[in-house]
Amino acid sequence: MMTRGRSAPIIYLDNSATMRPLPEVVATVTETLQNDYANPSSLHEFGLSAERILTSTRNELAKFLGTESHKIFFTSGATEANNTILRGVAAAYSSRGRHIITTPIEHPSVLATCQYLETGGFEIDYLPVDDKGTIHPDDLSAKLRNDTILISIMAVNNEVGTIQPITEVALRLDALGSRRPFFHTDAVQAIGKIPVDLSRITIDGLSLSGHKFGAPKGVGIMFLNSPAALPPLLYGGGQEDGMRSGTENTSGIAGIGAAVNWLQQNQRAANEKMYQLRQYLGETLESEIPNCHVNGPPADAPIETVAPHILNVSFPTIPGEILVHSLAESSIYVSTGTACSSKAETTSRVLSAMGLAPELARSSIRVSFSYETSAHDIDALIDALNSTVPHLRRMTRYQQ
Amino acid sequence: MRRIYMDHSATTPVHPRVAAVVNRFMLSDYGNASSVHHFGKVAREALEDARSQVADLIGADSPSELLFTSGGTESDNLAIKGVAYARRDQGRHIITSAIEHQAVLHACDALEAEGFEITKVGVDGQGRLDPEAVRDAIRGDTILISIMLANNEVGTLQPIEEIAAIAKEYDVLVHTDAVQAVGQISVDVEALGVDLMSLSGHKMYGPKGVGALYVRRKTPLQPLQNGGHHERRLRPGTENVAGIAGMGEACLLAKEELAIRNQYLLRLRDRLIDGIMSEIPKVYLNGHPDHRLPNNVNVSIVGIEGESILLSLDMKGIAASSGSACTSGSLEASHCLLAMGLTHEVAHGSVRFTLGRDNRQEDVDEVIRELPAIVERLRAMSPLS
Ligand SMILES: Cc1ncc(COP(=O)(O)O)c(C=O)c1O
Ligand SMILES: Cc1ncc(COP(=O)(O)O)c(C=O)c1O
């Protein structure tokens, strides 16, 4: 909770759109900007010191993810990581086949890239999701073909928080032996929120974005299990082992290191706290506000089945945007669906794919927590909804 | 040990005003510019302010002609591949120069592997391109000319205005990599007449990981990436608001102090060149004496390896470079110096000092004091001399 001027305290609950960098991260980024400004490729002592930041962050991150540091590449964000991997696999494997399997609930940086590949002659198959937003590995098995080269399934959905059965998918793919397609997962909403351990299963490519786990915007991570297999998206000086050219964003990368450090010590407790807040918020709203529905994983979903930081909830008859604006008047900031598509789309593609009735989809809001979110913040949101929802419903009824 | 940083073409120190802006957009105004609420609005305004600040520095007609990217490399890749794919129906021939940055050269190589044809126009002994040589290279199927405004190794400035005028006669688009020029010399896209121009924040006292691409209105461009609606869909991904605002501040700063910065650096540069040339025998100034960045000193010291000089300088607390930072990890001679016709031996002996607004005259004098002794010692040890 923060205060802006003398007005009501600000309660920011749109952390899936972007999270305020952790205080430790801001300190590290600022310190790096001021003191370690050299180019990591430079041969002099200034440059070597900047290079050490890259090395140590890469090592920390590799340890955190259960992998090796030479498989980790820094990018400008997850959009770039998703594009590099999807376009790269399509280019490198097109002689083997042109069939790609994904889901209808992916982030636009995956979906739009698949649509782009479709215009280049690739065939895209979408796995259905159930009413909780989950895909089923049997559906994947049914769609797999000899010419399937790529499977891209997100680890956690950014609108409803559903966790996908990534481990089970990976195990099934292992059974395919040499016919195994490239398996990519967009784990942007998973890292820092649920355990991500690459040592136990085979994932070929994974994308992360700094600003969703307490690090700054403009820096992301691409994990590749067999780095040499894909062509890069950006060509140039050959940084990041040639997989991603461009002078490295050292301060942003140092920020990733600080965030990982923080997570190593605090993630478990922070996730449990967020999970309890999610459950408390969902259950309280459903019991106190008539005709209120939690979308996707229910309020009491077991911790291993839902990301702890996202609750998607509908208040039928009130359009989501209206509720978002109304809450903003009490300095409470939530969103409808994703930030990236909130301008472009009126109803959520994800909720529609889950088979939600149009009225539920239209009236949904997403509340997303950070490590800083407190029970006071959630109580303030509940109070605001308790007074706003009946009021807005009376008004929308007059309009109808 | 007092440290002297003279590697500003590799990257510049972040100006305190820039660091303060970056800090603010992490600490308090941290919203996602796509969000509809207050935090989103503040972030969006910061992006648009920064866009105006960049546009203002380079004389763009409208801020809407600027896209933010992750840096100079991405801007170069987006410009070259973006135009190539968008105009592939009109032709597949691209003209560039032999002394471009790897971001341009390797993007062209990638296109060549996909069936485009690339002509690399050569340069003279001072690193200058002849605009008429560009004219001669133009064919019926030429779609793009990409020539840098200022070279990163020797600082030579290219006659972009004349090249753009020629290109116009043939309806060919012109991209210029101005990463080393913007913030050092006055750059005006209207006067230059270019269609696309690459910029990078960290070469002008801004942060790393942010850059911009100027795209003249109506220039056809295909994005390199797909995703959200950001940057008119030409460059998707959550905007790096803090970095972009920092780059905007760096542009504002450049605009404020460009004239003095320029004069100040020229004076230091010429003092350093004169000092080195008069104190050390058998050295050559690489690049052009006049058409040259105000902060660039590149000399070849015959008989010794540039790398050995760098290490000795580093031990004295002086940071310089041989060639560009990107290739300095490798021991190959600079492609730029070789293209200028230098022998391998002379190219291997090159050292680059690039000055910045934080350098003082005493820094220059210290280099002039230290370098001759280093050279003498290394020459005495060298099998080459
Ligand atoms: C002329 C030139 N172009 C492009 C670049 C690449 O810029 P960045 O490192 O920001 O990607 C550089 C610097 O490395 C450069 O000197
Ligand atoms: C699931 C998911 N994938 C990818 C992205 C893209 O990340 P970025 O905008 O940082 O590139 C986001 C967030 O915008 C996301 O939520």
Side-chain angles (χ1 to χ4, degrees):
Chain A
M1 198 162 80
M2 297 158 283
T3 33
R4 174 161 47 99
R6 280 161 206 275
S7 53
I10 286 178
I11 298 175
Y12 181 79
L13 295 170
D14 194 10
N15 292 284
S16 286
T18 194
M19 191 186 283
R20 174 159 81 160
L22 293 159
E24 293 83 349
V25 169
V26 177
T28 302
V29 172
T30 308
E31 144 86 20
T32 310
L33 280 177
Q34 282 164 348
N35 301 325
D36 262 308
Y37 55 81
N39 191 318
S41 300
S42 293
L43 279 180
H44 44 66
E45 182 50 38
F46 283 94
L48 297 178
S49 156
E51 196 194 4
R52 281 193 284 272
I53 294 177
L54 303 188
T55 309
S56 69
T57 302
R58 213 185 302 279
N59 290 343
E60 283 290 304
L61 191 59
K63 205 164 71 189
F64 183 62
L65 296 174
T67 183
E68 298 150 70
S69 42
H70 71 274
K71 299 182 175 179
I72 288 179
F73 306 91
F74 295 111
T75 66
S76 68
T79 296
E80 186 189 323
N82 284 338
N83 272 271
T84 307
I85 293 175
L86 267 54
R87 287 164 176 253
V89 171
Y93 293 56
S94 63
S95 57
R96 250 207 253 166
R98 303 192 139 234
H99 183 236
I100 295 171
I101 301 174
T102 185
T103 82
I105 63 165
E106 298 297 313
H107 186 265
S109 52
V110 168
L111 285 180
T113 303
C114 286
Q115 282 153 14
Y116 163 78
L117 292 172
E118 198 166 22
T119 65
F122 289 84
E123 198 183 326
I124 317 294
D125 241 329
Y126 298 91
L127 296 174
V129 296
D130 65 17
D131 61 342
K132 304 283 179 282
T134 318
I135 62 120
H136 289 274
D138 286 345
D139 290 325
L140 174 66
S141 298
K143 283 196 189 291
L144 272 174
R145 308 193 318 212
N146 277 335
D147 63 340
T148 306
I149 52 168
L150 169 64
I151 295 166
S152 181
I153 300 172
M154 71 200 318
V156 168
N157 177 265
N158 47 311
E159 290 189 45
V160 292
T162 311
I163 300 177
Q164 301 298 346
I166 296 299
T167 301
E168 204 181 327
V169 168
L171 294 178
R172 285 200 189 201
L173 295 178
D174 286 345
L176 297 177
S178 64
R179 272 185 37 242
R180 189 182 196 284
F182 188 103
F183 181 34
H184 166 247
T185 184
D186 173 343
V188 166
Q189 299 287 349
I191 184 172
K193 311 296 169 33
I194 64 170
V196 176
D197 184 357
L198 294 170
S199 69
R200 303 196 351 247
I201 49 172
T202 306
I203 288 175
D204 301 292
L206 174 128
S207 312
L208 302 172
S209 184
H211 69 107
K212 312 280 186 175
F213 65 94
K217 296 180 189 58
V219 56
I221 294 143
M222 169 167 76
F223 158 84
L224 291 175
N225 198 35
S226 310
L230 303 187
L233 185 72
L234 300 182
Y235 293 88
Q239 290 90 342
E240 299 294 297
D241 260 346
M243 275 311 298
R244 203 292 183 177
S245 287
T247 301
E248 300 88 339
N249 176 359
T250 353
S251 65
I253 293 169
I256 296 249
V260 165
N261 230 318
W262 188 91
L263 285 173
Q264 269 162 337
Q265 287 156 40
N266 302 293
Q267 173 169 3
R268 187 187 291 258
N271 290 348
E272 263 165 36
K273 182 178 134 204
M274 289 196 294
Y275 173 77
Q276 277 158 15
L277 291 177
R278 179 187 186 277
Q279 180 170 7
Y280 168 66
L281 175 62
E283 286 177 349
T284 312
L285 291 178
E286 282 183 322
S287 74
E288 292 184 1
I289 300 184
N291 195 13
C292 151
H293 302 267
V294 169
N295 302 316
D300 62 353
I303 190 162
E304 62 281 1
T305 64
V306 65
H309 65 304
I310 298 177
L311 185 82
N312 191 303
V313 56
S314 292
F315 302 91
T317 75
I318 308 173
E321 311 87 79
I322 302 226
L323 195 48
V324 166
H325 284 296
S326 163
L327 288 171
E329 278 164 28
S330 324
S331 297
I332 298 176
Y333 299 100
V334 301
S335 75
T336 65
T338 71
C340 293
S341 53
S342 55
K343 276 186 187 163
E345 289 170 40
T346 45
T347 53
S348 153
R349 192 173 22 76
V350 172
L351 299 182
S352 307
M354 287 161 52
L356 245 71
E359 184 50 40
L360 280 181
R362 203 174 69 92
S363 61
S364 77
I365 62 170
R366 176 185 69 179
V367 183
S368 52
F369 313 145
S370 79
Y371 307 119
E372 297 175 331
T373 306
S374 69
H376 287 295
D377 298 337
I378 299 306
D379 281 332
L381 172 65
I382 293 169
D383 287 348
L385 286 169
N386 260 320
S387 63
T388 318
V389 168
H391 172 69
L392 288 175
R393 277 191 173 144
R394 274 195 303 279
M395 299 209 335
T396 47
R397 195 170 319 130
Y398 286 131
Q399 282 169 7
Q400 278 162 1
Chain B
M1 179 167 54
R2 193 168 78 92
R3 293 200 161 271
I4 297 177
Y5 185 77
M6 285 202 190
D7 198 8
H8 290 79
S9 285
T11 194
T12 52
V14 175
H15 191 278
R17 256 169 59 185
V18 171
V21 167
V22 173
N23 194 265
R24 177 185 142 207
F25 284 96
M26 288 191 293
L27 220 45
S28 34
D29 296 325
Y30 52 83
N32 184 318
S34 299
S35 296
V36 293
H37 48 62
H38 165 78
F39 280 86
K41 189 160 158 272
V42 171
R44 209 149 53 238
E45 282 166 5
L47 293 185
E48 296 323 312
D49 286 349
R51 213 184 299 279
S52 300
Q53 286 161 338
V54 181
D56 202 36
L57 179 64
I58 61 166
D61 245 9
S62 154
S64 66
E65 293 176 311
L66 281 142
L67 301 175
F68 287 110
T69 67
S70 67
T73 298
E74 186 184 339
S75 295
D76 284 343
N77 275 265
L78 176 56
I80 292 170
K81 292 167 120 190
V83 168
Y85 296 143
R87 291 196 90 182
R88 72 189 328 157
D89 291 342
Q90 280 136 286
R92 299 186 150 236
H93 181 235
I94 295 172
I95 298 172
T96 184
S97 87
I99 61 162
E100 297 298 312
H101 187 266
Q102 293 89 341
V104 168
L105 290 179
H106 293 166
C108 286
D109 291 345
L111 286 172
E112 197 165 31
E114 293 174 27
F116 287 84
E117 276 181 73
I118 314 292
T119 300
K120 288 182 193 149
V121 176
V123 294
D124 66 17
Q126 298 172 324
R128 280 271 283 186
L129 229 99
D130 177 2
E132 288 307 315
V134 175
R135 185 195 295 278
D136 293 342
I138 295 178
R139 315 190 315 209
D141 61 344
T142 307
I143 49 174
L144 176 69
I145 297 173
S146 177
I147 308 280
M148 70 203 317
L149 188 50
N151 179 267
N152 45 309
E153 293 189 43
V154 292
T156 303
L157 304 174
Q158 302 298 344
I160 297 300
E161 214 174 315
E162 293 161 55
I163 292 169
I166 291 172
K168 209 164 200 161
E169 292 175 34
Y170 301 88
D171 194 26
V172 176
L173 294 172
V174 177
H175 164 248
T176 190
D177 175 342
V179 165
Q180 293 291 345
V182 174
Q184 304 276 357
I185 57 172
S186 114
V187 172
D188 185 298
V189 286
E190 293 305 326
L192 290 174
V194 295
D195 303 290
L196 304 111
M197 185 167 94
S198 304
L199 287 75
S200 180
H202 73 101
K203 309 283 188 182
M204 48 192 289
Y205 309 97
K208 294 179 183 55
V210 56
L213 180 65
Y214 164 79
V215 186
R216 186 178 292 278
R217 203 175 291 117
K218 298 207 176 110
T219 304
L221 192 73
Q222 182 173 314
L224 285 184
Q225 305 178 51
N226 302 93
H229 57 79
H230 320 86
E231 301 294 297
R232 295 185 287 125
R233 292 198 174 273
L234 290 168
R235 204 289 180 176
T238 303
E239 299 91 339
N240 175 1
V241 182
I244 291 169
M247 179 163 177
E249 186 70 19
C251 287
L252 186 64
L253 183 74
K255 178 103 184 166
E256 284 167 16
E257 62 175 42
L258 194 60
I260 343 169
R261 194 186 276 179
N262 203 316
Q263 272 177 18
Y264 178 71
L265 291 176
L266 266 178
R267 203 171 53 74
L268 291 188
R269 181 195 80 181
D270 291 341
R271 188 180 178 90
L272 182 55
I273 293 177
D274 292 345
I276 292 176
M277 303 305 276
S278 63
E279 296 297 322
I280 302 173
K282 283 204 281 178
V283 312
Y284 303 103
L285 179 68
N286 295 319
H288 200 282
D290 307 317
H291 295 293
R292 182 184 200 98
L293 282 175
N295 76 331
N296 178 290
V297 177
N298 187 315
V299 290
S300 275
I301 300 178
V302 181
I304 32 183
E305 294 282 335
E307 266 78 14
S308 323
I309 301 176
L310 288 193
L311 294 179
S312 304
L313 284 169
D314 198 28
M315 287 195 283
K316 300 277 181 194
I318 300 166
S321 93
S322 64
S324 68
C326 303
T327 43
S328 60
S330 79
L331 290 176
E332 277 170 43
S334 139
H335 70 280
C336 168
L337 297 178
L338 295 180
M340 287 162 56
L342 269 68
T343 62
H344 273 269
E345 192 207 330
V346 177
H348 270 296
S350 93
V351 186
R352 180 185 75 174
F353 299 94
T354 43
L355 300 154
R357 63 191 293 293
D358 47 299
N359 287 134
R360 298 283 163 264
Q361 184 170 312
E362 66 209 68
D363 299 344
V364 167
D365 292 344
E366 185 161 334
V367 173
I368 298 174
R369 224 177 9 256
E370 296 290 351
L371 190 59
I374 291 173
V375 169
E376 199 173 327
R377 188 171 51 77
L378 291 174
R379 275 190 177 149
M381 290 164 35
S382 169
L384 299 175
S385 55

